[in-house]
Amino acid sequence: MANDPGAGRVAWFQGAIRPESEVLISFRDGAAVHADGVYDTERTFNGRVFRLDEHLDRLWRSLAYVGIEAPVSRAELAEISLEVAARNHEICGRDIWVTQRISSGVPHDYGGDGRPSLIVESLPLPFESRAPFFRDGIRLITPPLRRVPPWALSPQAKTVNYLNPLLGGRHAARMDAGAWPILLDEHGNLSEGGGANVFAVRGGVVMTPRAEFVLPGITRGVVMELAAGLGLTVEERDIGLYEALTADELFITATSVCVCPVVSLNGRRIGGDGAAVPGPVTHRLQGAFSELVGLDIVAQYLDHLDAAAGAAARAPFV
Ligand code: PLP
């Protein structure tokens, strides 16, 4: 596509950086057949990869959880990731996602060598489709299906098995095109979306669901640090629908959007009619985040508002 900001991207695959078109995984790869794979995704700010070490720590925990051995060392993967990021940032001409994908490969019984496969790849950040969230706030919907409980498949591991939140996202989109899902956990408390953690603010206290029930987002951790640095009380705790619906503010955190305000939950305006979007605490956290990463995260999205009308806003699964 002539207007694809990512056209010409490269990826690391089978020992070399090559054009994406040369990255060909078998249709019998464990990731394709049984979702037997893990991944992690970071983003750049002005071309610099943010918190790579923390993402690789999480990736290594995900690998350990599912029992896949990394085909390269951690130090090698860090180096490969930085190289792919630098090349693709230049090619895309904007900030990008950088993703490491490791799957179990093709098993012996399927004619393979049973060795794990690794891809490191990038996509341009979707500023256009998400810009309106920074002006209007995100609409959240809690779908009827619940987040997979930790005793079935731990949400703390970032695996490629996304059908659970993905179906939640489809339900939310049927209710309200453009809304994002926040799944409830098995007890009926907020958990997370397909690619985002959620926070509630009540009386100046910043709350987020306990790590047991969610992916411990890298952005979630950063925001908890920033909130504490601003002198706010931060609590990891169960957040029921009552607390969420009566919160002063809700916001989500994710690698792509960093800190993004929520305008409504299940059609109910958060903070009451006429409440500011973003609310004051969300706004302060966006400011602190911008200071930390060295660019105005809100302006970076809002700069793409003109292009937003043509871009389809889809539920995120990153
Ligand atoms: N929850 C899920 C299920 C995710 O896939 C993601 C994205 O990685 C997040 C939360 C947010 O995590 P992070 O801040 O590391 O992007």
Side-chain angles (χ1 to χ4, degrees):
M1 275 193 300
N3 63 352
D4 177 359
R9 285 181 305 262
V10 293
W12 195 93
F13 181 60
Q14 289 183 340
I17 293 180
R18 50 181 88 237
E20 273 190 7
S21 56
E22 290 179 16
V23 179
L24 299 170
I25 282 268
S26 167
F27 63 86
R28 295 203 175 96
D29 186 278
V33 179
H34 294 123
D36 187 8
V38 300
Y39 75 109
D40 221 291
T41 298
E42 39 298 341
R43 68 159 281 180
T44 62
F45 291 99
N46 286 330
R48 282 191 309 277
V49 181
F50 185 62
R51 302 265 170 143
L52 179 59
D53 273 349
E54 287 175 42
H55 283 275
L56 292 183
D57 283 347
R58 187 171 68 183
L59 181 65
W60 249 252
R61 289 195 302 270
S62 300
L63 285 165
Y65 178 70
V66 301
I68 296 177
E69 211 170 301
V72 296
S73 73
R74 228 194 95 129
E76 283 169 320
L77 189 52
E79 204 178 302
I80 293 165
S81 302
L82 291 174
E83 177 67 21
V84 169
R87 297 267 297 268
N88 282 327
H89 181 256
E90 171 124 21
I91 290 164
C92 295
R94 64 159 69 187
D95 277 319
I96 55 174
W97 274 309
V98 185
T99 296
Q100 299 80 19
R101 303 185 180 280
I102 302 179
S103 63
S104 56
V106 183
H108 295 290
D109 283 356
Y110 290 5
D113 60 12
R115 295 219 315 260
S117 65
L118 165 67
I119 300 169
V120 181
E121 49 103 354
S122 308
L123 276 172
L125 281 162
F127 295 124
E128 291 81 1
S129 60
R130 297 179 184 187
F133 299 150
F134 287 84
R135 180 191 57 196
D136 308 329
I138 294 190
R139 302 185 301 280
L140 293 182
I141 285 186
T142 56
L145 92 174
R146 299 286 170 96
R147 186 78 177 108
V148 171
W151 44 261
L153 179 66
S154 176
Q156 293 187 73
K158 196 164 168 62
T159 76
V160 297
N161 185 337
Y162 263 61
L163 212 46
N164 171 236
L166 204 131
L167 293 184
R170 287 188 189 149
H171 179 94
R174 282 196 299 275
M175 300 292 107
D176 172 2
W180 282 16
I182 286 293
L183 277 65
L184 302 178
D185 67 23
E186 59 183 314
H187 306 296
N189 298 309
L190 299 195
S191 68
E192 62 186 336
N197 292 111
V198 66
F199 283 75
V201 183
R202 268 161 73 100
V205 177
V206 176
M207 304 176 261
T208 194
R210 289 188 282 136
E212 185 186 352
F213 295 104
V214 296
L215 183 80
I218 305 305
T219 324
R220 172 183 179 273
V222 170
V223 165
M224 287 163 72
E225 282 166 26
L226 292 173
L230 292 173
L232 298 161
T233 304
V234 182
E235 292 179 359
E236 284 182 88
R237 46 164 286 186
D238 292 337
I239 303 171
L241 264 180
Y242 169 82
E243 284 149 316
L245 288 167
T246 58
D248 302 326
E249 299 172 42
L250 291 183
F251 62 87
I252 61 159
T253 63
T255 286
S256 58
V257 295
C258 311
V259 182
C260 192
V262 172
V263 62
S264 64
L265 176 64
N266 295 340
R268 184 92 60 87
R269 178 128 187 158
I270 298 302
D273 286 342
V277 175
V281 172
T282 308
H283 183 69
R284 284 177 74 196
L285 288 168
Q286 287 179 323
F289 203 102
S290 298
E291 218 166 283
L292 177 71
V293 300
L295 66 78
D296 185 332
I297 56 167
V298 177
Q300 190 177 42
Y301 275 91
L302 292 180
D303 282 350
H304 292 81
L305 259 185
D306 283 351
R314 304 217 21 221
F317 296 97
V318 164

